[in-house]
Amino acid sequence: MHDALPAVDASAIDLSATFLGRELRLPLLISGMTGGHERARGVNQVLASAAERSGVAFGLGSQRAALRDRSLIPTYTIARDSAPTSFIIANVGISQLVPQDGETALSLADVREIIDMVRADALAVHLNYLEESVQPEGQTRAAGAFEALTRICGASPVPVVAKETGAGITREVAQRLRIAGIRAIDVGGLGGTSFAALEARRADMRGDEARTRLGVRFTEWGVPTAVAVAGCVVTGLPVIATGGVRSGLDAAKALALGASIVGVARPLLRAALEGEAAVLAWIDRFALELRTATFLSGQRRARDLHKAERVVTGRTHDWLVQLRY
Ligand SMILES: Cc1cc2nc3c(=O)[nH]c(=O)nc-3n(C[C@H](O)[C@H](O)[C@H](O)COP(=O)(O)O)c2cc1C
């Protein structure tokens, strides 16, 4: 809600955040996207270097490729080289932790290697069964996933984050994840990049009509980001709001719903393809918008936005009422 009489100067607003025990200058994570091919090396270098300069966290894309082909390791390690002091999140898929047809599950030693490869501060396990369901070669064996996750959480030297990639996490799933030992939730909700739509496009290019239709049919499947945030914060775990966050104002809304930080993927990939200056300009805009929203909400610190009065309207309100969040 708007505060017509703020008590502090806009320039004195504190935008910092604490995430898993570490201070960030802004409540922002450059969400995991890439690694595993030559072009990805440049993108990871630009994004990680911008993360280091601006004091935000940085996530890598799935590191499975580096375990299969060791010549690809530098496309990931470039991130740590470019961001020696940043909070870096390693990345592996839940499907790799469960035996699939014709593929064994990664061992605890493999997972450890993924973490050590980039001296990661946390490990994200991405939950992407929607994408896997639409891919023809998709890995949809999920029985035993909870147990595998529990084992990883018990053995990991760094905190493990559960991360959806566009279909969202409900309160009920977040509670199960907490029991498994997960230390933070990246809600990866509906409303941003759609892997169902992306896989439908790829299927169409291959001339695979059945998978094209399946992807299109499930483009709107999932829990919207705002709803997922409201549900997951109930667990008491730190929550990353990802999925369609496009501005500092979106971030302010997510923080008002209780998120600790926000994750942004696609807009920062676009900027990274232009170069580091474009990424830093995007982050500057984000910071100014978040500062403005915090100031106009009458708060001194962005991390206090959850204390601000708020109104939830429209479809989001319908979801929250029906789910009793
Ligand atoms: C090109 C691209 C590649 C991605 N690769 C991964 C990945 O390897 N692992 C992962 O956990 N998430 C991956 N994601 C998902 C993002 O981390 C994020 O959850 C999702 O894109 C939603 O954020 P957005 O709406 O800001 O793009 C990828 C996203 C994009 C756009």
Side-chain angles (χ1 to χ4, degrees):
M1 292 292 289
H2 177 61
D3 183 332
L5 192 60
V8 285
D9 301 343
S11 61
I13 302 278
D14 174 5
L15 298 180
S16 69
T18 305
F19 180 67
L20 291 173
R22 281 279 290 277
E23 278 292 300
L24 304 177
R25 285 220 292 278
L26 292 171
L28 176 64
L29 162 69
I30 301 178
S31 199
M33 282 179 280
T34 197
H37 51 95
E38 195 37 48
R39 193 127 185 252
R41 187 177 181 281
V43 170
N44 275 339
Q45 196 230 314
V46 165
L47 288 174
S49 170
E52 180 79 11
R53 279 200 182 192
S54 51
V56 307
F58 174 75
L60 283 155
S62 173
Q63 288 167 254
R64 169 167 68 159
L67 289 184
R68 284 184 172 166
D69 177 353
R70 312 194 71 78
S71 73
L72 298 173
I73 289 176
T75 69
Y76 298 94
T77 51
I78 185 75
R80 181 49 89 197
D81 299 343
S82 310
T85 68
S86 297
F87 191 96
I88 292 188
I89 307 182
N91 191 295
V92 68
I94 186 77
S95 304
Q96 277 83 68
L97 303 181
V98 178
Q100 302 290 332
D101 298 332
E103 196 172 326
T104 53
L106 295 184
S107 65
L108 291 176
D110 291 331
V111 173
R112 182 89 195 220
E113 189 182 342
I114 282 172
I115 296 165
D116 291 346
M117 191 184 293
V118 290
R119 300 198 306 282
D121 301 285
L123 169 71
V125 177
H126 66 258
L127 316 176
N128 65 331
Y129 283 115
L130 171 58
E131 181 185 16
E132 298 285 352
S133 298
V134 178
Q135 280 176 342
E137 70 280 16
Q139 299 183 315
T140 50
R141 286 199 179 269
F146 175 83
E147 291 76 7
L149 209 47
T150 307
R151 274 195 302 279
I152 299 293
C153 289
S156 173
V158 294
V160 182
V161 179
K163 173 181 189 302
E164 242 292 350
T165 58
I169 294 179
T170 61
R171 177 178 62 191
E172 191 273 328
V173 172
Q175 275 157 349
R176 274 190 277 149
L177 290 166
R178 191 171 55 79
I179 292 166
I182 289 293
R183 299 268 305 279
I185 308 261
D186 184 333
V187 301
L190 175 66
T193 300
S194 163
F195 278 94
L198 196 141
E199 292 299 338
R201 282 256 204 109
R202 281 178 36 174
D204 190 34
M205 281 156 61
R206 284 193 311 271
D208 181 342
E209 199 190 324
R211 295 280 160 178
T212 307
R213 280 174 183 271
L214 185 66
V216 170
R217 188 71 77 205
F218 280 81
T219 296
E220 294 295 309
W221 176 269
V223 187
T225 301
V227 177
V229 169
C232 290
V233 294
V234 175
T235 60
L237 291 173
V239 168
I240 308 172
T242 311
V245 173
R246 297 293 174 260
S247 68
L249 180 54
D250 286 345
K253 293 176 185 174
L255 298 190
L257 285 170
S260 297
I261 62 174
V262 302
V264 176
R266 191 162 175 262
L268 289 169
L269 177 61
R270 282 196 159 197
L273 294 172
E274 284 176 44
E276 188 176 337
V279 177
L280 291 171
W282 194 98
I283 294 173
D284 275 352
R285 262 196 319 274
F286 172 94
L288 181 59
E289 290 161 355
L290 179 60
R291 178 179 301 285
T292 305
T294 308
F295 175 61
L296 295 178
S297 302
Q299 302 300 317
R300 290 170 188 273
R301 309 188 304 170
R303 65 177 78 198
D304 291 336
L305 275 166
H306 66 100
K307 297 179 187 161
E309 222 182 340
R310 61 173 204 236
V311 177
V312 178
T313 59
R315 286 186 61 200
T316 307
H317 179 251
D318 294 347
W319 278 83
L320 299 188
V321 169
Q322 285 204 36
L323 290 167
R324 299 196 181 85
Y325 285 177

